[in-house]
Amino acid sequence: MQEGSHLTPEFLLGGFLILAGTVAVVFPRPKTYLVRIINLELPAWGLLLLMLAYNETLALLTFGGVSAISVYILVRVLQKTEGP
Amino acid sequence: MNLLPMLVFGLLVVLGTGGTILERDPFAKLISLSLIAAGVIPFVVDRGYLDVAIALALIVPLSTFFLLMACRRDRT
Amino acid sequence: MTPEEAALTVCVVVAAYAGIRVLLERNTVKKLPFLNVCSFAVAGSIVLILPHPLTIIAAAAYFIGTTLESNAIASTYAGGIREE
């Protein structure tokens, strides 16, 4: 949707998701690392929805594949930090 | 897409966001996160990116499994 | 209203009801059946949104992925595989 307004539902939902998720990561409710990592998924979805609003197909595929690996690395770091 | 399905999937995304932020149990947070995925993937399909939708639907559960590995260590 | 639109409306109403019930439920275990219902309704509406031969593969992939995810959450909440 290049002509017309940029206020598509994808753009609005992505902006809301990325703002709310960033605030939730900075001020998590129970202040633990696990809750921070779970809340970090929210801005990832918001970024994906924002990429969808601007029709970036290759960015969508690459980001969707890499986000799972990023979560795996963060979980490994958490287990090495709090483990025995 | 018509107005009603778009409104309902947007509502699903907003409900999942509120649930993820407000819940305190990590498992309830993961359930709300799955609700966000249920809201986003129809928007990807509606734009016509079916290959992206297939890749996303197969990679999102993988991400949840990695988070569950940390939840199990946290519970016991 | 064509039959496809009627079916899409039914699927979408079921998805909205299940999504609201997931958020209103207090017990974590009782959230899981409603999450399953919501995912089934979304998988049905994915097929009806876009008439394309590849859509059925996307819906099948989403169905398999979300069922596996719900079962993994339930299995981990119940205590996991390691039960000595």
Side-chain angles (χ1 to χ4, degrees):
Chain A
M1 198 176 288
Q2 291 297 64
E3 70 280 359
S5 71
H6 282 285
L7 292 180
T8 55
E10 290 93 351
F11 184 81
L12 291 177
L13 278 175
F16 165 72
L17 210 54
I18 206 166
L19 284 176
T22 310
V23 173
V25 171
V26 176
F27 305 108
R29 198 37 98 77
K31 221 171 169 55
T32 62
Y33 291 117
L34 179 63
V35 172
R36 255 183 232 260
I37 293 176
I38 292 176
N39 281 345
L40 200 60
E41 290 284 292
L42 286 174
W45 280 111
L47 196 59
L48 202 119
L49 217 42
L50 227 52
M51 285 172 183
L52 181 68
Y54 287 107
N55 285 323
E56 304 276 355
T57 314
L58 199 58
L60 270 172
L61 267 175
T62 317
F63 185 73
V66 165
S67 71
I69 303 173
S70 131
V71 169
Y72 178 66
I73 292 172
L74 285 175
V75 168
R76 287 296 296 190
V77 168
L78 178 67
Q79 285 180 349
K80 279 203 184 304
T81 304
E82 293 183 344
Chain B
M1 190 159 34
N2 292 327
L3 187 63
L4 177 67
M6 195 177 289
L7 223 61
V8 168
F9 294 132
L11 176 76
L12 233 53
V13 172
V14 173
L15 283 180
T17 310
T20 309
I21 294 175
L22 292 180
E23 293 282 352
R24 291 178 159 271
D25 189 19
F27 290 96
K29 274 178 179 292
L30 285 178
I31 290 170
S32 299
L33 215 59
S34 171
L35 213 58
I36 292 181
V40 170
I41 289 180
F43 281 107
V44 181
V45 173
D46 183 47
R47 285 276 174 135
Y49 299 136
L50 286 172
D51 47 353
V52 179
I54 293 170
L56 219 58
L58 291 179
I59 286 173
V60 166
L62 224 63
S63 167
T64 307
F65 293 158
F66 294 147
L67 283 173
L68 278 173
M69 278 165 36
C71 285
R72 181 186 307 160
R73 181 68 62 90
D74 192 57
R75 244 172 96 84
T76 53
Chain C
M1 182 180 273
T2 61
E4 285 84 8
E5 286 184 354
L8 181 59
T9 306
V10 170
C11 278
V12 153
V13 167
V14 171
Y17 175 70
I20 291 171
R21 278 298 294 270
V22 166
L23 200 60
L24 289 184
E25 199 68 56
R26 302 308 309 165
N27 194 356
T28 304
V29 184
K30 287 182 182 172
K31 282 171 185 279
L32 282 164
F34 290 107
L35 176 68
N36 254 332
V37 170
C38 186
S39 300
F40 294 162
V42 169
S45 56
I46 281 174
V47 182
L48 295 168
I49 281 175
L50 191 67
H52 190 275
L54 207 56
T55 314
I56 185 68
I57 300 177
Y62 179 71
F63 184 81
I64 292 169
T66 190
T67 306
L68 216 61
E69 185 181 1
S70 299
N71 281 321
I73 291 176
S75 165
T76 311
Y77 191 82
I81 304 172
R82 298 174 300 170
E83 192 80 28
E84 61 264 71

